[in-house]
Amino acid sequence: MNRRATTSPPPGPGAPRTHAEASRQSRDLVSGEVRRREAMIRFAAGPDGRVTPDLAGRLPGRGLWVAADRASVESAARRGLFSRAARTALKADPELADQVEHLLLRRLLDGLGLARRAGEVVFGFEKVQSALSGGRVAWLVEAADGAPEGRRKILAAARKAALEPGLAALWTGEELSLALGGENVIHTAFLAGRGADRWTVDVQRLSGFRPLVPASWTEMTPSASGAGTPA
């Protein structure tokens, strides 16, 4: 006797293939599209009724998710989409996108310090150049105010590396020195691994709010997308 097949049809293009994958997706308040949470910013309603960025995903209550770019966050705040999604009156600061940018910068800099203590970050011209030669660098982090000559040499070495690193120049040498516990830190390498993979997620989020390198840097640079690390 023939039996009707009971298996479900395969998921369509872009659809999550597992429950775990589906749990890592949410609907963007602005576009209405379902996206990976790694490419979004979570917001929550604070106790004072204000919309609060929740980068760590730890604040209580329902998450309000917006694509990780400045235009989307500004649109959600301007159009009252947070209140509509939460079904209650919420106050969204007009500078909400600036708040997200500042928090991401702080989170990334703190992440460098933690990675340094875990042995996942090295700094100094010779150490960074050696790591590049070994194909072990996921991200080059250059001081935004570093000397052009040293930067050109490091970037030349990066272009020859087996693993082309991403490039970020988001902080001054003084800020990097404080975060990493060194003196006059100009060249920093985040070594490939799980720590760099996690760091990449926030770097890619930040890229929706500001450039990763100064506009004045006109020389050829490695990719800013974190080549060699998963999105």
Side-chain angles (χ1 to χ4, degrees):
M1 181 174 63
N2 294 330
R3 294 184 179 180
R4 181 176 298 174
T6 58
T7 56
S8 301
R17 297 184 177 277
T18 66
H19 290 297
E21 184 177 345
S23 71
R24 296 193 297 271
Q25 296 184 339
S26 288
R27 189 174 300 278
D28 172 23
L29 297 188
V30 179
S31 68
E33 296 178 359
V34 175
R35 301 171 180 261
R36 294 180 300 108
R37 290 182 176 180
E38 291 86 353
M40 306 177 77
I41 303 295
R42 184 183 192 269
F43 296 88
D48 57 354
R50 288 186 174 274
V51 177
T52 303
D54 180 26
L55 302 183
R58 296 174 181 171
L59 294 180
R62 177 190 173 190
L64 305 169
W65 294 86
V66 179
D69 64 77
R70 178 173 293 277
S72 294
V73 174
E74 289 177 345
S75 178
R78 183 178 64 253
R79 295 164 56 192
L81 299 184
F82 293 107
S83 296
R84 186 184 304 176
R87 297 181 181 179
T88 188
L90 296 176
K91 174 67 175 178
D93 195 299
E95 286 75 42
L96 190 60
D98 290 334
Q99 294 176 22
V100 173
E101 178 184 333
H102 174 77
L103 290 171
L104 281 170
L105 280 168
R106 183 72 255 173
R107 180 178 170 91
L108 285 165
L109 191 58
D110 290 343
L112 282 179
L114 292 173
R116 162 65 173 160
R117 291 190 284 276
E120 299 173 314
V121 163
V122 297
F123 58 85
F125 186 90
E126 288 79 12
K127 290 183 179 179
V128 171
Q129 197 166 44
S130 175
L132 286 168
S133 298
R136 299 182 294 125
V137 180
W139 282 94
L140 270 179
V141 182
E142 290 285 295
D145 56 351
E149 182 59 28
R151 181 169 68 245
R152 279 195 291 269
K153 292 178 179 179
I154 285 292
L155 295 182
R159 288 191 291 271
K160 298 176 182 177
L163 175 68
E164 182 184 12
L167 175 65
L170 301 164
W171 305 280
T172 65
E174 181 179 1
E175 290 171 320
L176 289 173
S177 298
L178 288 172
L180 298 175
E183 293 184 5
N184 194 32
V185 176
I186 302 298
H187 312 289
T188 302
F190 204 137
L191 305 181
R194 291 185 178 181
D197 293 347
R198 292 190 294 268
W199 203 74
T200 297
V201 172
D202 281 330
V203 178
Q204 292 178 335
R205 284 170 169 161
L206 180 63
S207 68
F209 294 86
R210 59 167 295 168
L212 298 183
V213 298
S216 60
W217 289 20
T218 57
E219 67 265 48
M220 186 181 297
T221 61
S223 168
S225 63
T229 58

